[in-house]
mmCIF file of all heavy atoms in Angstrom:
data_model
loop_
_atom_site.group_PDB
_atom_site.id
_atom_site.type_symbol
_atom_site.label_atom_id
_atom_site.label_comp_id
_atom_site.label_asym_id
_atom_site.label_seq_id
_atom_site.Cartn_x
_atom_site.Cartn_y
_atom_site.Cartn_z
ATOM 1 N N HIS A 142 73.438 85.730 96.741
ATOM 2 C CA HIS A 142 73.951 87.086 96.729
ATOM 3 C C HIS A 142 74.031 87.725 98.106
ATOM 4 O O HIS A 142 73.496 88.821 98.343
ATOM 5 C CB HIS A 142 73.124 87.939 95.769
ATOM 6 C CG HIS A 142 73.525 87.773 94.338
ATOM 7 N ND1 HIS A 142 73.033 88.533 93.308
ATOM 8 C CD2 HIS A 142 74.412 86.913 93.765
ATOM 9 C CE1 HIS A 142 73.574 88.151 92.165
ATOM 10 N NE2 HIS A 142 74.418 87.178 92.431
ATOM 11 N N TYR A 143 74.677 87.055 99.014
ATOM 12 C CA TYR A 143 74.964 87.624 100.316
ATOM 13 C C TYR A 143 76.176 88.550 100.202
ATOM 14 O O TYR A 143 76.964 88.470 99.252
ATOM 15 C CB TYR A 143 75.245 86.532 101.349
ATOM 16 C CG TYR A 143 74.045 85.717 101.767
ATOM 17 C CD1 TYR A 143 73.996 84.341 101.529
ATOM 18 C CD2 TYR A 143 72.973 86.305 102.419
ATOM 19 C CE1 TYR A 143 72.903 83.573 101.935
ATOM 20 C CE2 TYR A 143 71.866 85.544 102.840
ATOM 21 C CZ TYR A 143 71.847 84.175 102.579
ATOM 22 O OH TYR A 143 70.764 83.437 102.974
ATOM 23 N N GLU A 144 76.357 89.404 101.206
ATOM 24 C CA GLU A 144 77.473 90.339 101.224
ATOM 25 C C GLU A 144 78.818 89.613 101.182
ATOM 26 O O GLU A 144 79.806 90.157 100.696
ATOM 27 C CB GLU A 144 77.400 91.235 102.451
ATOM 28 C CG GLU A 144 76.248 92.230 102.457
ATOM 29 C CD GLU A 144 76.462 93.319 101.408
ATOM 30 O OE1 GLU A 144 77.093 94.336 101.707
ATOM 31 O OE2 GLU A 144 75.982 93.117 100.262
ATOM 32 N N ASP A 145 78.860 88.396 101.707
ATOM 33 C CA ASP A 145 80.115 87.652 101.730
ATOM 34 C C ASP A 145 80.669 87.456 100.316
ATOM 35 O O ASP A 145 81.885 87.369 100.126
ATOM 36 C CB ASP A 145 79.897 86.257 102.364
ATOM 37 C CG ASP A 145 79.211 86.383 103.724
ATOM 38 O OD1 ASP A 145 79.913 86.601 104.709
ATOM 39 O OD2 ASP A 145 77.971 86.293 103.771
ATOM 40 N N VAL A 146 79.799 87.384 99.313
ATOM 41 C CA VAL A 146 80.220 87.209 97.931
ATOM 42 C C VAL A 146 80.308 88.552 97.205
ATOM 43 O O VAL A 146 81.199 88.758 96.374
ATOM 44 C CB VAL A 146 79.237 86.269 97.190
ATOM 45 C CG1 VAL A 146 79.379 86.406 95.675
ATOM 46 C CG2 VAL A 146 79.492 84.825 97.591
ATOM 47 N N LEU A 147 79.432 89.484 97.533
ATOM 48 C CA LEU A 147 79.343 90.717 96.732
ATOM 49 C C LEU A 147 80.219 91.847 97.250
ATOM 50 O O LEU A 147 80.610 92.722 96.487
ATOM 51 C CB LEU A 147 77.886 91.211 96.702
ATOM 52 C CG LEU A 147 76.842 90.213 96.190
ATOM 53 C CD1 LEU A 147 75.508 90.911 95.990
ATOM 54 C CD2 LEU A 147 77.286 89.541 94.896
ATOM 55 N N ARG A 148 80.538 91.867 98.531
ATOM 56 C CA ARG A 148 81.394 92.933 99.076
ATOM 57 C C ARG A 148 82.839 92.457 99.030
ATOM 58 O O ARG A 148 83.270 91.655 99.839
ATOM 59 C CB ARG A 148 80.983 93.264 100.509
ATOM 60 C CG ARG A 148 81.745 94.457 101.113
ATOM 61 C CD ARG A 148 81.305 94.702 102.531
ATOM 62 N NE ARG A 148 79.976 95.261 102.587
ATOM 63 C CZ ARG A 148 79.692 96.552 102.567
ATOM 64 N NH1 ARG A 148 80.691 97.435 102.516
ATOM 65 N NH2 ARG A 148 78.457 96.977 102.623
ATOM 66 N N VAL A 149 83.580 92.956 98.032
ATOM 67 C CA VAL A 149 84.931 92.432 97.773
ATOM 68 C C VAL A 149 85.996 93.372 98.331
ATOM 69 O O VAL A 149 85.745 94.538 98.585
ATOM 70 C CB VAL A 149 85.156 92.229 96.282
ATOM 71 C CG1 VAL A 149 84.187 91.200 95.729
ATOM 72 C CG2 VAL A 149 85.047 93.533 95.514
ATOM 73 N N PRO A 150 87.230 92.854 98.535
ATOM 74 C CA PRO A 150 88.321 93.716 98.990
ATOM 75 C C PRO A 150 88.604 94.806 97.972
ATOM 76 O O PRO A 150 88.495 94.584 96.753
ATOM 77 C CB PRO A 150 89.531 92.761 99.092
ATOM 78 C CG PRO A 150 88.985 91.394 98.915
ATOM 79 C CD PRO A 150 87.664 91.478 98.281
ATOM 80 N N MET A 151 88.969 95.986 98.455
ATOM 81 C CA MET A 151 89.337 97.066 97.538
ATOM 82 C C MET A 151 90.249 98.045 98.265
ATOM 83 O O MET A 151 89.882 98.648 99.259
ATOM 84 C CB MET A 151 88.111 97.798 97.032
ATOM 85 C CG MET A 151 88.434 98.948 96.096
ATOM 86 S SD MET A 151 86.989 99.865 95.594
ATOM 87 C CE MET A 151 87.785 101.227 94.754
ATOM 88 N N ILE A 152 91.466 98.163 97.768
ATOM 89 C CA ILE A 152 92.427 99.130 98.290
ATOM 90 C C ILE A 152 93.009 99.902 97.123
ATOM 91 O O ILE A 152 93.381 99.309 96.098
ATOM 92 C CB ILE A 152 93.576 98.412 99.067
ATOM 93 C CG1 ILE A 152 93.012 97.541 100.192
ATOM 94 C CG2 ILE A 152 94.546 99.440 99.619
ATOM 95 C CD1 ILE A 152 94.070 96.697 100.898
ATOM 96 N N VAL A 153 93.045 101.217 97.231
ATOM 97 C CA VAL A 153 93.560 102.081 96.165
ATOM 98 C C VAL A 153 94.755 102.868 96.697
ATOM 99 O O VAL A 153 94.678 103.413 97.794
ATOM 100 C CB VAL A 153 92.475 103.047 95.665
ATOM 101 C CG1 VAL A 153 93.044 103.972 94.580
ATOM 102 C CG2 VAL A 153 91.280 102.273 95.112
ATOM 103 N N ARG A 154 95.822 102.935 95.884
ATOM 104 C CA ARG A 154 96.961 103.772 96.233
ATOM 105 C C ARG A 154 97.321 104.633 95.013
ATOM 106 O O ARG A 154 97.578 104.126 93.940
ATOM 107 C CB ARG A 154 98.186 102.952 96.621
ATOM 108 C CG ARG A 154 99.313 103.823 97.218
ATOM 109 C CD ARG A 154 100.533 103.031 97.589
ATOM 110 N NE ARG A 154 101.372 102.777 96.427
ATOM 111 C CZ ARG A 154 102.654 102.366 96.516
ATOM 112 N NH1 ARG A 154 103.206 102.140 97.699
ATOM 113 N NH2 ARG A 154 103.352 102.145 95.431
#
Side-chain angles (χ1 to χ4, degrees):
H142 279 187
Y143 289 118
E144 292 290 272
D145 308 275
V146 162
L147 305 189
R148 185 182 288 269
V149 298
M151 179 183 171
I152 304 174
V153 178
R154 190 182 82 164

